[in-house]
Each structure stands twice: as C-alpha cells, then as structure tokens.
Amino acid sequence: MAEIIMREAIARGLREALDKDERAFIMGEDVGAYQGAYAVTKGFFEKYGPERVRDTPIAEGVMVGAGVGAAMAGQRPIVEIMTINFLLLGIDQVVNHAAKLRYMSNGQLEVPLIIRTVTGGGAQLAATHSQSFEGWFASVPGIKVAIPSDPYDALGLFRSALDERDPVIFAEHALLYGFKGEVPDAPYKVPFGQAAVKREGKDITLVAYGRMVHVAQNAAKLFAEMGKQAEVIDVRTLRPLDLDTIVKSVKKTNRCIVVEEVWETGGFGSWIAQSVQEAAFDDLDGPVGHVGGLDVPAPYNGVLEAAAIPDAKRVLQKAKELFGM
C-alpha cells in the first residue's frame, strides 16, 4: 500500500471527479494558472483547461452563488474557497440557498455542490486567517460537513462527497496537507456519518476531528505512560454525526473528553458533549469534558498562537480535573 500525503490524496479525488464526469469542474481563486494557494490543483489547468479549471475574481459570494446555480442546472461544481474565513463572504449563498433549495422545492431542485476550503490555525496567519468555522456550518440542516484527519479519509470522504445530492463543505486543515499515510490503490469510499476508532482503549474516550485527532492521539500516548488506555474517536463528518460509535465507546470507558480547535465558547464539540451526556448519563463516572481553543482572536506570534490551540497536555489536565486521572 502506497504512502502519500493528504494534498496528493485530495488531488487524486479531484482528478477522479474530472475524469469520470464531464459535468464536473473546479472554480476558485488561483486554482488555475497559480495552481492553487495550497498547490492541491497543481497541474490541473494544463491538463483540463480553463473551461473545467476556472480562475475566479475575489468574490466568494459570486463563486458560491455560481456554484449553486450550476449544481441546480445539473452540473457538478467543486468550488475552492481559499480559507474558511473567506466563506463568511458567501455564507448567505450557503445557508439561505444551497442548504434549503431541495427542501423548499419539495425535492424538485438539488444542489450537489462541493465547497472545498482550508480551516484551522497554527501557521501564523493571524486572526482573520486562522479560524475554524466548520462547526458553524454543521449546525445548518441541509448541509453536510466532512473534515478528514489523514490521507485515507481525505480520499475516501471526497469520493463519498461526489455521490451527495446535498451541498458538502469539505474542510481541510492547513497543517495536514503534508501529513503522510497509507492509501490503497483499490477503490474505496469512507461513508458520511461513520466515525472511526483510531486507537482502542478502556479508560477514557477522546473525541476529535481534523487536526485535533492527532492531538488526541498524542494525549493517548501520554495516558499510556501513566498506565491508562485512551480510546480515540475521529468523527470524520460533523453532519451527519455518528453519535452511536461515540456512545458505544463511552459506555465502555465511562469517561469522555471532546477536543476541538475552535473557540471554547459555542464550539460544535459542546453539542457533542451534551449529546453524549444525554445518551450515556448512567454509564458516566463524571461530566463529559470539552477542550477547545482559548476565547481570543488567533495571535500572530507563534508562541502565543500555540498557547491558544489545544494540545495533549491540556487534554490530560482536563482529565485530571474531571476524573482525577
């Protein structure tokens, strides 16, 4: 089985989409001649041409709106928004149009639109370029949100996104593009709404998504040094959310902490914690914990930025506070 980095896995998924379906096309800022701000579409403009790899003006509302219209007309648009921070400029098109058209038309209209975008901090890109809004979008009915943590999931989830009749926000963490992992040559898909147990354990369940899965894995290694076994759950998609796998794990470990990068206040992980609390209350040895980012704008200074993002030590500190571990 070959090892590839996440950027290559996503690029493979994009090539498959364009090769298999002549209705598919990519559009976004700098996706063509510049080959992508994060080089995911490197070589695409030369291979597929300007009709199928379209550079757009800096106008996110127009990009998403054009994608919605194209999807309604039977095309399979893949819109790249350079960062999820800029998707705020297209949020009306996402929330009030893409998410609702199938429902409001009683199924007469569909919006099979994929919005690829970069999320997360840690790259010293400062307060307006380092945010994590995938949880906001996951709170809107009608939208599906995928956020892979490794190359295998990135390719498998993207293939599943191509099958969707509803709009999908495909959030890619900026610091994971170079992360390497095994990806089989044989075709496979990762279904939406199916979480993965990335590490088995019996003493505590750590729930995470995106880059925080790796923070949870690091915390699990520290727990192991203490003689404790942590189970790490990667939810893979925020909507649909596979609550069953999480609850099954918590009923085994009796303890749970949800880890996410977004601000502590109002994080999507808080909703996961609430859901676990309701579903597994009688099996819990303490409250469900939540570790999120500090409630501050992302600092530009690297030391300060790192201090604002959850790490393994903060996960252990939370476990000590809640469970005396």
Side-chain angles (χ1 to χ4, degrees):
M1 192 180 298
E3 280 196 338
I4 62 174
I5 60 175
M6 195 136 111
R7 178 185 291 107
E8 294 170 346
I10 298 167
R12 184 186 295 183
L14 288 169
R15 280 194 295 272
E16 290 178 359
L18 297 184
D19 289 340
K20 293 179 179 178
D21 191 342
E22 62 181 13
R23 300 172 301 167
F25 68 93
I26 299 169
M27 63 177 171
E29 298 160 5
D30 289 337
V31 297
Y34 189 73
Q35 306 195 87
Y38 289 85
V40 175
T41 54
K42 185 178 181 179
F44 278 58
F45 188 74
E46 291 80 3
K47 181 176 181 179
Y48 297 102
E51 290 296 316
R52 303 191 71 196
V53 183
R54 299 183 174 216
D55 280 320
T56 67
I58 302 174
E60 285 77 8
V62 174
M63 293 155 58
V64 178
V68 171
M72 289 167 57
Q75 301 299 301
R76 301 306 302 257
I78 302 167
V79 174
E80 178 177 315
I81 301 294
M82 196 176 291
T83 84
I84 203 165
N85 308 279
F86 306 158
L87 194 52
L88 297 179
L89 297 165
I91 197 167
D92 180 59
Q93 298 287 357
V94 174
V95 175
N96 283 328
H97 300 272
K100 296 179 172 61
L101 280 168
R102 188 153 74 90
Y103 171 75
M104 295 184 72
S105 69
N106 196 27
Q108 296 179 80
L109 299 173
E110 294 183 351
V111 186
L113 165 68
I114 297 176
I115 299 174
R116 286 187 47 244
T117 190
V118 177
T119 189
Q124 285 191 266
L125 296 176
T128 61
H129 289 60
S130 305
Q131 301 166 108
S132 306
F133 293 133
E134 55 275 0
W136 289 15
F137 290 102
S139 71
V140 179
I143 300 174
K144 297 184 177 178
V145 177
I147 177 165
S149 67
D150 58 39
Y152 179 91
D153 285 354
L155 180 56
L157 288 169
F158 192 81
R159 286 168 171 162
S160 293
L162 294 170
D163 296 334
E164 287 292 331
R165 299 165 61 192
D166 293 313
V168 173
I169 292 181
F170 200 86
E172 305 159 10
H173 197 288
L175 298 190
L176 293 181
Y177 279 125
F179 183 78
K180 185 177 287 187
E182 291 185 337
V183 174
D185 294 328
Y188 71 94
K189 294 179 181 177
V190 174
F192 280 18
Q194 190 172 105
V197 179
K198 293 294 175 78
R199 180 186 178 113
E200 294 189 355
K202 62 179 180 59
D203 296 313
I204 186 171
T205 298
L206 304 178
V207 182
Y209 56 90
R211 193 172 82 84
M212 288 299 106
V213 173
H214 302 276
V215 169
Q217 294 272 32
N218 290 336
K221 293 176 184 175
L222 296 179
F223 277 120
E225 293 175 3
M226 300 161 52
K228 302 295 184 183
Q229 298 177 22
E231 185 148 292
V232 177
I233 306 290
D234 180 353
V235 300
R236 290 171 159 169
T237 56
L238 299 183
R239 182 184 281 267
L241 178 70
D242 179 9
L243 188 60
D244 290 345
T245 295
I246 300 171
V247 170
K248 181 180 178 182
S249 173
V250 173
K251 288 187 174 181
K252 178 177 66 173
T253 66
N254 311 118
R255 304 178 184 90
C256 180
I257 294 176
V258 184
V259 188
E260 62 181 348
E261 186 171 323
V262 71
W263 299 299
E264 188 89 24
T265 300
F268 191 82
S270 297
W271 183 83
I272 296 176
Q274 173 197 325
S275 301
V276 172
Q277 193 101 347
E278 292 177 355
F281 182 79
D282 290 338
D283 296 280
L284 289 168
D285 285 346
V288 178
H290 177 244
V291 175
L294 299 186
D295 281 328
V296 296
Y300 174 73
N301 177 280
V303 175
L304 294 178
E305 183 185 32
I309 298 173
D311 61 14
K313 291 182 179 178
R314 281 186 57 196
V315 177
L316 262 67
Q317 180 60 35
K318 179 64 73 172
K320 183 178 180 181
E321 292 171 5
L322 296 179
F323 314 121
M325 294 179 70

